[in-house]
Amino acid sequence: MPSAVLTANDQGGPQTTAKAIPKLIPRRKPQTADQPVNPPPSTPSLPLPPPLDSHVYSHPTRRILSERDHKLFLASPTHDLIVSFVFHLSDAAGDQTVSGVKQLPIAKDPAIVALLAVLDEAEERLKQCPAQDTGSRFGNPAFRDFLQLVEESSPAWHKKLGITNDGAINEISAYLAQSFGNGTRIDYGSGHELNFILWLLCLRQLSILPDSIFPALALLIFPRYLKLMRDVQSTYYLEPAGSHGVWGLDDYQFLPFLIGASQLVDHRHIRPLSIHNEMIVDECAGDYLYLDQIKWVNATKTVQGLRWHSPMLDDISSAKSWSKVEAGMRKMFLAEVLGKLPVAQHFLFGSLLPAAEGMSQDAESRVGEEDVGEVEVTVDGMKHMHSANSWGDCCGIKVPSAVGARTEAKKHGQEPGLRRLPFD
């Protein structure tokens, strides 16, 4: 009986034995646990609030007018203070739920109660300024009336928070006003969202908000602000500021994903892929910011499926753990929010959040609402920097609101349901 294994013949035929198959050797070197590649940013220490006995307040202004200004900001103590405050808020949300924090004594802290009252009153101002029936999916001009009411109400709101110094009220009111969006362009983005956090940071610098109530700031105050802004976006169809369409994390928000990922790091059942489970999202959105934002994003789009309208969020859901998602969100906050000139150029600097030495002065008088970027151009005899990228987003391309598109379609009976794209 012939052998089942063939060997080379006398004429040098090929060998087909198992020994002739080369051994497979992995090309990637094994990574040791004590040498992580590209570790996540750590939480810097948060300095104590400054002494204010002889403090001189100043009205915040734009100071980032060029790449040089931006680099000075990134290397400044103010940048480190902002990072530390945001990361401490994120850490405070770890292993906490919204309903759980509501049961804690800090939920009844006078500062928390006062902040919630301010946001409730802002909601009332929104109801006093109904949108105009323009039939357009773009920003509604009635938004400017709302901002005017907010500006008029701001001094009284800050007095409710226990601030009596007119200079302090004037300074921190600028951050609150900017947190609702831009009245000239009628748009809103992650830079405006960050201004709300900077407003809370200024209150902390004034010793109004002790560090012990950070969990309530992250999971009671910030979600209440998000709800208010969703109502504002739905009412006035705010355009996404600097949006690149679906090729971004979200049209408007960023921090719900950072804080929300921190919440879920040690969760036993909810995984990153759970954002595709409609039942889990619906049942748990009230307690977890990440799922709540996913639910809102899904509700405002005119197509079905994260893979189509939010592919970056869809990609992130393939991460093995929430700790990896959180690490990625921290890196993205540093690189895409603080590290991008189109966002950072609108930051305001005063006495509580001072500009670095050498940064440009009087940016508003030189460029006004103009965006700045990487290429120096001259407009009306004034030199400033514009970004010459293919998107042209620094020049303010008008992008219709997804909320506006869906709402206007409903008004005209043009939306029987969510559209499914082919091959989904």
Side-chain angles (χ1 to χ4, degrees), residues 7-33:
T7 59
N9 54 31
D10 295 339
Q11 284 73 34
Q15 290 186 347
T16 59
T17 62
K19 294 181 178 180
I21 300 176
K23 183 179 180 182
L24 298 178
I25 301 175
R27 294 182 178 180
R28 293 184 61 187
K29 296 181 180 179
Q31 298 176 4
T32 57

Side-chain angles (χ1 to χ4, degrees), residues 208-359:
I208 301 295
L209 305 179
D211 296 357
S212 59
I213 65 172
F214 276 16
L217 293 180
L219 297 180
L220 297 183
I221 300 305
F222 185 58
R224 180 65 185 90
Y225 164 75
L226 289 177
K227 180 183 180 301
L228 171 60
M229 287 314 306
R230 289 168 185 171
D231 292 340
V232 172
Q233 293 158 16
S234 301
T235 301
Y236 303 120
Y237 303 167
L238 302 187
E239 300 164 19
S243 174
H244 291 169
V246 299
W247 304 108
L249 195 59
D250 179 75
D251 281 345
Y252 297 115
Q253 317 293 160
F254 175 83
L255 291 177
F257 299 106
L258 170 57
I259 298 175
S262 298
Q263 264 189 290
L264 291 163
V265 163
D266 294 320
H267 202 283
R268 284 200 257 173
H269 307 296
I270 299 176
R271 297 291 181 263
L273 274 175
S274 299
I275 67 172
H276 299 286
N277 188 315
E278 188 174 350
M279 181 180 296
I280 292 178
V281 171
D282 288 341
E283 291 186 359
C284 301
D287 268 332
Y288 297 98
L289 295 192
Y290 199 103
L291 300 183
D292 182 55
Q293 191 64 23
I294 291 292
K295 183 178 180 179
W296 172 250
V297 170
N298 282 331
T300 57
K301 300 298 183 178
T302 58
V303 294
Q304 186 174 356
L306 281 171
R307 63 183 298 190
W308 298 113
H309 59 68
S310 304
M312 185 176 290
L313 291 174
D314 181 65
D315 289 343
I316 292 171
S317 69
S318 64
K320 293 182 179 179
S321 66
W322 285 111
S323 60
K324 288 189 175 296
V325 176
E326 182 196 34
M329 292 298 170
R330 286 188 171 219
K331 295 174 185 176
M332 193 177 293
F333 176 72
L334 296 179
E336 302 296 329
V337 179
L338 299 183
K340 284 297 176 67
L341 180 57
V343 179
Q345 63 176 323
H346 296 293
F347 292 170
L348 301 177
F349 299 89
S351 66
L352 297 173
L353 300 176
E357 185 177 352
M359 289 172 62

